[in-house]
Amino acid sequence: MANTEMIRAYIRDSGYKLQYIARAMQISTTALNQKLQGRTQFKLDEAERLSTMLGLSMTERDACFFDQQNRAERLMQRAQENRRRAEHSDPRAEQGDQAGAAAVRHPVLGTQPGGAQLARRH
């Protein structure tokens, strides 16, 4: 969710009217108001257009549109995905990797569907 209070402050400081900003962003004034009230989210291209119009630095833009809550949610999703992958991985492949084996492809034949050939590392 965007930090709408911060965005409103930047808009106030810019001196632009909401109607002008909405027109420049190619959205209706109602749509802009819904975004500024947190009812709908800014699309990436809208966030870019508004940031450019307001002359925001990358840091300011990130603080407005990509706040800490969003970063924390993305990190949690990645951690959950990694856990799911670890739970569903093939235990034989893990044992082979732990024993010092590496997956290799035959240069001409390739590997058989469903698995890789293992060769000892020396």
Side-chain angles (χ1 to χ4, degrees):
M1 197 71 147
N3 186 337
T4 57
E5 291 303 316
M6 189 180 291
I7 296 168
R8 284 181 179 276
Y10 282 120
I11 290 172
R12 238 185 338 269
D13 293 345
S14 74
Y16 291 128
K17 303 275 184 200
L18 290 180
Q19 188 175 11
Y20 173 78
I21 291 172
R23 229 181 287 134
M25 291 177 61
Q26 301 172 353
I27 60 175
S28 69
T29 306
T30 304
L32 178 59
N33 276 319
Q34 288 178 340
K35 292 171 190 304
L36 292 174
Q37 291 171 2
R39 291 184 184 162
T40 59
Q41 293 186 3
F42 284 91
K43 295 177 184 173
L44 186 58
D45 64 321
E46 295 168 343
E48 279 297 320
R49 275 190 228 134
L50 184 56
S51 299
T52 302
M53 179 185 295
L54 298 174
L56 302 181
S57 68
M58 248 184 358
T59 305
E60 292 168 329
R61 182 203 61 203
D62 288 349
C64 287
F65 297 101
F66 311 108
D67 62 1
Q68 290 294 336
Q69 181 181 357
N70 289 339
R71 289 187 196 125
E73 288 173 6
R74 285 193 302 270
L75 289 173
M76 285 178 49
Q77 286 175 346
R78 284 185 199 146
Q80 288 173 348
E81 289 171 6
N82 290 339
R83 268 188 251 123
R84 269 190 240 118
R85 284 187 196 126
E87 290 171 359
H88 293 89
S89 65
D90 185 5
R92 291 174 292 166
E94 290 177 14
Q95 290 171 353
D97 288 343
Q98 290 171 357
V104 264
R105 293 185 178 267
H106 188 280
V108 176
L109 301 176
T111 59
Q112 294 295 324
Q117 298 170 349
L118 297 178
R120 281 265 172 229
R121 292 183 191 153
H122 296 288

